[in-house]
Amino acid sequence: MTQIFLTGATGYIGGEVLHALQHAHPDYEIAALIRDNEKAGKVLAAFPKVRVVLADLDNVEIIEEESRKADIVIHAASNKHLESVKAIANGLAGRQNAYYIQVTGASVLAGPEIDNNSYGEPSDQIFDDLDNVAGLRDIIRAYKDRRVVDNYILDLGSDGPKTAIIFPPIIFGTGKGPVNQRSVQVPSLARAALLRGVSLYLGRGLSRWGIVHVSDLADLFVKLVGHAVNGTPSPIWNENGLFFAENGFESFKDIAVLIAKEAHSLGHIDSPDAVQSMNLDEANVVIPNGVVFLGTNGQGRALRARKLLGWKPEGESFQKAAQETIIAEAAQL
Ligand SMILES: NC(=O)c1ccc[n+]([C@@H]2O[C@H](COP(=O)([O-])OP(=O)(O)OC[C@H]3O[C@@H](n4cnc5c(N)ncnc54)[C@H](OP(=O)(O)O)[C@@H]3O)[C@@H](O)[C@H]2O)c1
């Protein structure tokens, strides 16, 4: 039976992936690395068949051992924790029939703007992960210090496990995982709008990121795992295993306008037109590292998943999800 080792099962992405995998393939045996006993209980209550590995990402011996036992490792807990990435690679070393799927992020495309300290400005550059995969690799290679995990995985080459890196953009929608069901950008912007009575965008708000519903993102994982299990011959691994996940693009000003409109229609702010520019410091208060996550361009088109995995995003609309997010944030406040 297919053995999967998953990290981040209590998180937004990992929890949704766990939910989607258990529903699509209840026969897969999933071991989940969880660091908190109480949260492990919640995971087991929702998914009793999961085998809990009670450990932290710093417990690299455990991660290496669990990876050695697995056919497929999904690392959804962190895109920066290099020691756990190395432990997974060690556990899978030399096994060409083993698979490693890593979550990182669409900020891979934001390097030049971070270098130039230029935020909120538009860009007409839309990257794709199929016809221009070589260009995407060049971008990763150009930022060895910032994209440490991406570079490490690319450096593994093709003699060992088959690898894939997924670069999610703005993920929206309420998750179905057992613990954290909240994303980052849209909920934080919604919360700031509710607190200040005005919806915010950084600078001119003209930079754009891709958007993807969390259930569609999880479906991409499920499809990739399915290809791994079936051993489908396709250029989807190692140097070709680079995947954007996107169902269109939104500018941050348009997101602010949508949040204002929905928050007003729900009775939380006075005017549907209450939108306002914020500066870099304010953006970093809305979200840690907000200048990057609210002010750069992360426009990666998901051609590889669509054409080679048959992936088709079908999750609820951005507008509907934004409305639900505002309701959830208002309830928490
Ligand atoms: N959400 C987005 O919009 C988005 C988009 C692109 C990329 N990403 C990246 O994808 C990764 C996961 O994001 P997320 O939104 O799912 O985050 P999240 O909801 O905060 O979940 C993180 C998960 O990783 C676990 N974790 C973190 N550090 C750990 C450690 N030292 N040991 C063991 N487990 C650890 C957390 O466990 P606990 O429950 O115990 O904390 C949780 O299960 C992050 O690196 C994030 O930057 C997120």
Side-chain angles (χ1 to χ4, degrees), residues 112-123:
E113 290 154 300
I114 300 170
D115 291 343
N116 298 329
N117 211 26
S118 156
Y119 300 105
E121 293 302 309
S123 165

Side-chain angles (χ1 to χ4, degrees), residues 108-282:
V108 67
L109 300 176
E113 290 154 300
I114 300 170
D115 291 343
N116 298 329
N117 211 26
S118 156
Y119 300 105
E121 293 302 309
S123 165
D124 53 13
Q125 263 194 308
I126 296 183
F127 296 82
D128 86 71
D129 54 6
L130 187 66
D131 301 326
N132 193 20
V133 68
L136 177 53
R137 280 196 298 269
D138 287 347
I139 292 171
I140 295 169
R141 294 309 197 186
Y143 290 96
K144 284 201 184 292
D145 293 343
R146 278 188 215 143
R147 309 303 301 189
V148 177
V149 166
D150 298 339
N151 273 285
Y152 184 87
I153 293 173
L154 276 183
D155 284 343
L156 292 175
S158 46
D159 294 337
K162 297 192 170 54
T163 63
I165 305 173
I166 300 181
F167 302 89
I170 294 173
I171 311 171
F172 66 91
T174 306
K176 292 188 286 299
V179 184
N180 183 28
Q181 302 182 331
R182 182 184 189 267
S183 189
V184 181
Q185 282 127 311
V186 180
S188 303
L189 287 167
R191 174 171 290 239
L194 295 172
L195 287 170
R196 293 182 52 163
V198 60
S199 184
L200 302 168
Y201 55 90
L202 173 55
R204 293 204 296 156
L206 300 179
S207 55
R208 300 198 310 165
W209 270 50
I211 54 168
V212 70
H213 194 279
V214 65
S215 63
D216 290 325
L217 177 64
D219 185 50
L220 199 160
F221 281 82
V222 170
K223 290 211 159 35
L224 206 44
V225 166
H227 277 64
V229 171
N230 296 327
T232 322
S234 194
I236 54 173
W237 305 110
N238 304 105
E239 64 167 9
N240 294 313
L242 304 177
F243 290 87
F244 290 125
E246 139 283 325
N247 189 13
F249 304 98
E250 291 284 347
S251 78
F252 287 97
K253 184 159 186 185
D254 286 345
I255 294 173
V257 167
L258 175 66
I259 289 173
K261 191 169 144 271
E262 296 299 333
H264 172 72
S265 76
L266 291 163
H268 294 302
I269 62 177
D270 292 340
S271 162
D273 304 316
V275 291
Q276 187 176 296
S277 174
M278 61 181 161
N279 63 29
L280 305 188
D281 290 339
E282 288 173 300

